[in-house]
Amino acid sequence: MCCERHLCIALLLVNLGAVALVSAQGSNSTSRWQTLSGDAPLVVARGGFSGMFPDSSSQAYTLALITSVPDVILWCDVQLTKDGVGICFPDLNLDNSSDISYIPLFNNQQKVYQVNGFPVKGWFSVDYTFSDLGNLSLIRGIYSRTQRFDGNLLKIMAVQDVAYQFNQSAFWLNVQHDAFYTQHKLSMRNFVLNASKSVIVDYISSPEVGFLRSISAPFASSKTKLVFRFMQQDDIEPSTNQSYGSLLRNLTFIKKFASGIIVPKSYIWPVDSSNYLLPSTSVVSDAHKVGLEVFASDFANDAQFSFNYSYDPVAEYLSFIDNGHFSVDGVISDFPITPSEAIGKSLVLLVKVKPFIQCNCYAHLGRNASKQEVLLDTTFIPCLVVADLLIITKNGASGDYPGCTDLAYSKAIVDGADVIDCPVQMTKDGIPICLQSINLFDSTNVVQSRFSNLATTIPEIQAGTGIFTFTLTWSEIQTLKRIDIFFLIHFLIQNAAYLATGQGLSVTDAVFSALSKAGYDKLTTPKVMIQSRDSSVLRKVNSAGTYELVYRIDESIRDALNATVEDIKSFAHSVVVDSTSVFPVNDADFLTGTTNVVTKLQSFKLLVYVETFSNEFTSQPWDFYSDATVQINTFYRGTGINGVVTDFPKTSARYRRNRCLARGKETPSYMTPVLPGFFMGLIMAPALLPPAEAPSPVLTEQDVVEPPLPDAVAKSPSTSPGRSPSTSPPPNEQPKVTACVFVSNLAMLLAVLLLF
């Protein structure tokens, strides 16, 4: 596959001994960053890349180094064993992130201890030596994440081992339960002081005032920074018996023993009960006024965050570091690749003397930033030529608002979409309207309306019953409750063959008529794109105007015969394929490799668009780190696709403007495409491997060739469609037909509205 690979970056990090891992930052006096120092915010990888691999595992720490900014800080939650060894483990209770409950050796050894005044049942490190813990393996601590790496036999590591093994990066020790260990006659203070003599510790944090004050004098002359960690505002800090909310109002007190604070991100950007953002607080500016750095915590791409961010984690990070009013000094994340993208630092190669320019991929872009020219590193991608990325909407910005509504279309335009789509449905009186589905059940209150008795079954369209748009007139549909159905905007033609033969309606003629009235049948700009999964529709359209004809391949394929592509080329200019036709995905939601579908189609001068790109992490394979930007980048820079079909156009539009697209060989690792199949190769336990699957089919000529689209046949008045549920639909020998028309700016919308 012609693509840049994280594996290559990993080798680069391991072998370039003369590479200085520092950020290329400008002078503080001219910095655009609103951090306390004026430098770019720091990225702290909590337990390494704990969103992908078990927290605090060697694989998690390695992946964090490979995919993040060069000065990423590795976070270690310190726990103490019975024999005083400090280990990196995310929780006081060993049951939460290890397999201790599955090992017979530890059966019936659970205990109940008081932790901050509350009883906690489980297995605790204070009851076992470090040697005892060698029988355990790390597993995921959050069950919504993939379990496929739980069998990798990843061992619990001592603090010193983590520091020695990953000494290319900064190191952060988080001490969460000093009071608990003191109760068990173990000294976290002694451990931290002794550890700092043999390894470099850059940061030490704790939610306990007493602990930080006890070590503040020994670290006063060192470079180690002490950071006070705020828990939930109503929680009680054990050494002062004050709530964290009250301590927040006394930051000058915190400054006496700490140089910074950690606060949950909700301290800075609170949300209301509906999960929408409230105005930001003054926490960051208040802390900066007394000289405290601010680190925001609780960032995870696969956790719920405010709807204002449109499920886009990069957008969330930008609100903390690039909002024009303040910037936190660092973020603590389970997915460090994402804040790395947002912040964007680069390596400085001291060997070559010539430093890289600071990347700032997304920070400080501004809405008016221009699209970037794509430069490729031919070391990794010798044969790939990437064209401009076209952004095509899926029912407008339907990820943010109900599809095919004025809000969805308006937002898509504002967000920077190139092409606005519209699924066209036909009413009984021949009016084309924009609606996501031909079945009114899906998007209106028709079931509760006076038309509820019109439900019928039409196998040619779908299984199950429905009340279809062609059952009602436009005026009747307008009486239904729905958010603003747009009337005759851009077109997605569905079920053309059935509408022609079964209802006497020609949706293609209706579209042509509207385009002709607006003058688009004679214009070359703005470009009109007509998409169909039926070649008969495109062949009919071929002689109707100067449109870009787009053939839609619904099924997932692994290849296409040359003769088949030649046939497609005879009636289409471009092709829409499903994302799995580019990167196949198995039942475990991992990429298994790359097909040559894009290369094959482009070799015949066909443009290739891929659908559907969604921001919700549940829609993405694990390989993309629950980050829509990583997914887009991998498809675009990894395979050279020509466009994306997306329900979140803002994310794709911002991606095209990011400065890292123009870096070529200097592209940072966090902006390189992922390697399909890489993570599947890291699943060690055979029992956790998904079953082998049959490969997707090859597209043949038989899949493409179809009889001509039938002419519309006038329907007898006695067979009112849908008015009688018992009426059998007329036979239809052709498969369901879907086509769509895309128009590349708002002018089409205005022109069409003026017609009526």
Side-chain angles (χ1 to χ4, degrees):
M1 184 185 84
C2 294
C3 70
E4 294 169 292
R5 300 183 176 186
H6 281 136
L7 185 58
C8 300
I9 302 299
L11 295 175
L12 178 69
L13 289 172
V14 171
N15 294 321
L16 287 183
V19 174
L21 295 178
V22 298
S23 60
Q25 298 172 358
S27 166
N28 288 354
S29 61
T30 59
S31 175
R32 299 179 65 183
W33 293 107
Q34 295 176 293
T35 56
L36 183 63
S37 66
D39 293 335
L42 296 170
V43 175
V44 184
R46 194 190 68 83
F49 207 129
S50 54
M52 193 72 184
F53 289 114
D55 193 306
S56 305
S57 67
S58 58
Q59 288 185 329
Y61 285 126
T62 300
L63 185 62
L65 290 175
I66 293 172
T67 60
S68 307
V69 289
D71 61 349
V72 62
I73 301 172
L74 300 184
W75 169 288
C76 164
D77 285 296
V78 183
Q79 316 298 338
L80 293 180
T81 65
K82 184 178 182 179
D83 49 347
V85 177
I87 60 173
C88 292
F89 192 83
D91 198 275
L92 192 69
N93 191 340
L94 294 173
D95 188 26
N96 287 349
S97 296
S98 81
D99 60 356
I100 193 169
S101 63
Y102 303 103
I103 299 178
L105 177 65
F106 298 94
N107 283 353
N108 304 316
Q109 294 185 9
Q110 286 178 293
K111 293 186 177 181
V112 177
Y113 287 131
Q114 292 290 316
V115 180
N116 292 336
F118 296 94
V120 177
K121 183 179 181 179
W123 291 264
F124 298 85
S125 61
V126 294
D127 295 318
Y128 303 100
T129 66
F130 183 63
S131 177
D132 294 333
L133 299 185
N135 296 294
L136 305 181
S137 294
L138 294 165
I139 62 174
R140 59 184 173 143
I142 298 175
Y143 288 160
S144 59
R145 293 172 178 171
T146 179
Q147 81 276 24
R148 304 293 172 173
F149 304 117
D150 287 355
N152 281 12
L153 302 180
L154 299 167
K155 297 303 178 181
I156 296 173
M157 292 188 289
V159 169
Q160 289 86 344
D161 291 338
V162 174
Y164 293 144
Q165 186 172 344
F166 306 102
N167 60 4
Q168 293 172 312
S169 187
F171 198 31
W172 187 310
L173 298 183
N174 180 58
V175 176
Q176 199 77 6
H177 297 287
D178 173 62
F180 172 82
Y181 290 108
T182 299
Q183 294 169 9
H184 291 268
K185 297 180 172 51
L186 292 167
S187 175
M188 187 66 77
R189 179 182 186 275
N190 289 344
F191 169 77
V192 168
L193 292 177
N194 290 331
S196 65
K197 295 175 183 177
S198 58
V199 300
I200 298 175
V201 180
D202 300 274
Y203 293 85
I204 300 174
S205 62
S206 176
E208 299 182 29
V209 170
F211 172 72
L212 289 178
R213 295 182 76 175
S214 74
I215 64 172
S216 60
F219 283 105
S221 59
S222 74
K223 294 184 178 179
T224 302
K225 294 184 177 182
L226 304 186
V227 182
F228 180 66
R229 183 175 188 179
F230 283 84
M231 308 306 287
Q232 297 303 314
Q233 297 203 32
D234 292 335
D235 292 348
I236 301 300
E237 193 283 317
S239 60
T240 63
N241 205 32
Q242 296 183 52
S243 71
Y244 287 98
S246 64
L247 288 172
L248 186 66
R249 295 188 290 272
N250 193 5
L251 293 176
T252 54
F253 169 68
I254 304 298
K255 178 60 179 173
K256 293 178 181 179
F257 56 86
S259 63
I261 60 174
I262 298 173
V263 295
K265 62 185 182 180
S266 60
Y267 271 46
I268 301 170
W269 282 106
V271 297
D272 63 19
S273 59
S274 298
N275 206 31
Y276 285 95
L277 287 179
L278 295 170
S280 61
T281 69
S282 62
V283 166
V284 177
S285 59
D286 292 344
H288 283 176
K289 286 177 183 177
V290 300
L292 288 169
E293 292 183 307
V294 181
F295 295 87
S297 66
D298 299 350
F299 287 96
N301 293 0
D302 57 354
Q304 186 181 50
F305 47 93
S306 172
F307 293 135
N308 295 73
Y309 302 124
S310 302
Y311 306 97
D312 181 352
V314 173
E316 182 184 31
Y317 285 107
L318 289 173
S319 75
F320 283 83
I321 65 171
D322 185 27
N323 57 52
H325 301 287
F326 63 83
S327 171
V328 297
D329 301 277
V331 292
I332 301 169
S333 174
D334 292 10
F335 294 81
I337 189 173
T338 305
S340 296
E341 295 164 347
I343 297 168
K345 301 176 186 176
S346 304
L347 288 169
V348 174
L349 297 186
L350 298 184
V351 169
K352 296 183 179 180
V353 181
K354 180 182 178 182
F356 290 173
I357 301 171
Q358 185 170 340
C359 196
N360 288 159
C361 300
Y362 289 101
H364 314 311
L365 271 183
R367 182 175 292 276
N368 296 323
S370 59
K371 290 188 291 185
Q372 297 291 306
E373 178 184 358
V374 180
L375 298 180
L376 300 177
D377 179 357
T378 55
T379 301
F380 297 137
I381 315 179
C383 60
L384 183 63
V385 177
V386 178
D388 191 18
L389 183 71
L390 197 69
I391 300 172
I392 304 167
T393 65
K394 183 78 169 181
N395 304 324
S398 55
D400 291 299
Y401 295 107
C404 302
T405 63
D406 60 347
L407 291 173
Y409 285 123
S410 298
K411 189 172 193 307
I413 294 166
V414 171
D415 286 349
D418 299 306
V419 177
I420 307 299
D421 75 302
C422 168
V424 174
Q425 315 299 343
M426 295 295 288
T427 67
K428 180 188 176 186
D429 48 346
I431 303 297
I433 62 173
C434 288
L435 201 58
Q436 295 177 73
S437 172
I438 196 171
N439 187 354
L440 293 170
F441 279 2
D442 298 333
S443 54
T444 73
N445 69 329
V446 70
V447 175
Q448 290 81 38
S449 74
R450 59 190 174 93
F451 307 112
S452 59
N453 65 324
L454 302 181
T456 188
T457 301
I458 304 179
E460 294 87 348
I461 293 179
Q462 65 172 51
T465 61
I467 298 176
F468 301 96
T469 58
F470 53 76
T471 305
L472 305 179
T473 65
W474 170 237
S475 60
E476 290 172 332
I477 290 176
Q478 285 180 300
T479 66
L480 301 177
K481 290 185 178 180
R482 189 191 184 289
I483 301 177
D484 295 316
I485 299 174
F486 247 147
F487 169 43
L488 227 148
I489 310 175
H490 314 134
F491 309 98
L492 168 58
I493 305 169
Q494 297 179 330
N495 307 296
Y498 174 78
L499 290 172
T501 59
Q503 302 300 324
L505 299 171
S506 176
V507 62
T508 52
D509 287 348
V511 169
F512 297 156
S513 175
L515 289 171
S516 178
K517 289 180 181 179
Y520 284 91
D521 57 335
K522 298 180 176 62
L523 298 176
T524 57
T525 58
K527 180 169 60 176
V528 175
M529 303 165 67
I530 300 179
Q531 180 196 135
S532 176
R533 68 178 118 178
D534 199 328
S535 59
S536 61
V537 170
L538 295 181
R539 291 186 189 280
K540 179 175 181 178
V541 174
N542 203 8
S543 60
T546 56
Y547 311 126
E548 178 179 337
L549 306 183
V550 187
Y551 183 58
R552 177 191 178 98
I553 302 174
D554 277 339
E555 63 271 26
S556 179
I557 61 173
R558 70 176 188 274
D559 199 354
L561 299 177
N562 287 351
T564 306
V565 184
E566 286 279 11
D567 191 25
I568 294 173
K569 180 68 177 176
S570 69
F571 60 79
H573 307 99
S574 50
V575 178
V576 170
V577 298
D578 184 78
S579 61
T580 57
S581 293
V582 182
F583 295 124
V585 179
N586 61 21
D587 287 343
D589 279 335
F590 283 98
L591 304 183
T592 59
T594 310
T595 71
N596 70 341
V597 167
V598 174
T599 303
K600 171 67 70 68
L601 294 171
Q602 289 180 341
S603 69
F604 285 81
K605 309 301 181 184
L606 287 165
L607 301 177
V608 180
Y609 309 126
V610 178
E611 70 170 15
T612 302
F613 287 81
S614 297
N615 286 0
E616 296 95 339
F617 71 89
T618 53
S619 70
Q620 304 155 11
W622 297 110
D623 306 68
F624 299 130
Y625 310 122
S626 302
D627 185 340
T629 296
V630 174
Q631 183 181 31
I632 296 167
N633 188 55
T634 299
F635 275 85
Y636 183 44
R637 301 196 72 217
T639 68
I641 64 173
N642 301 99
V644 296
V645 180
T646 175
D647 41 14
F648 292 93
K650 185 175 184 178
T651 300
S652 296
R654 186 192 61 213
Y655 168 77
R656 289 190 310 191
R657 304 195 308 273
N658 90 81
R659 298 183 186 92
C660 289
L661 284 178
R663 299 299 301 280
K665 292 184 178 181
E666 297 178 1
T667 299
S669 60
Y670 45 83
M671 285 301 296
T672 59
V674 303
L675 178 61
F678 175 74
F679 287 107
M680 274 298 298
L682 296 180
I683 300 175
M684 302 303 178
L688 294 177
L689 286 168
E693 301 176 27
S696 297
V698 175
L699 193 69
T700 67
E701 290 182 86
Q702 287 73 25
D703 299 317
V704 175
V705 175
E706 297 169 349
L709 187 68
D711 294 329
V713 177
K715 194 167 63 70
S716 171
S718 62
T719 58
S720 179
R723 296 289 172 177
S724 173
S726 61
T727 303
S728 299
N732 176 28
E733 297 179 353
Q734 290 215 181
K736 181 169 67 175
V737 179
T738 301
C740 67
V741 174
F742 298 123
V743 186
S744 61
N745 70 12
L746 185 57
M748 179 59 186
L749 167 61
L750 299 175
V752 173
L753 290 178
L754 287 173
L755 297 177
F756 301 91

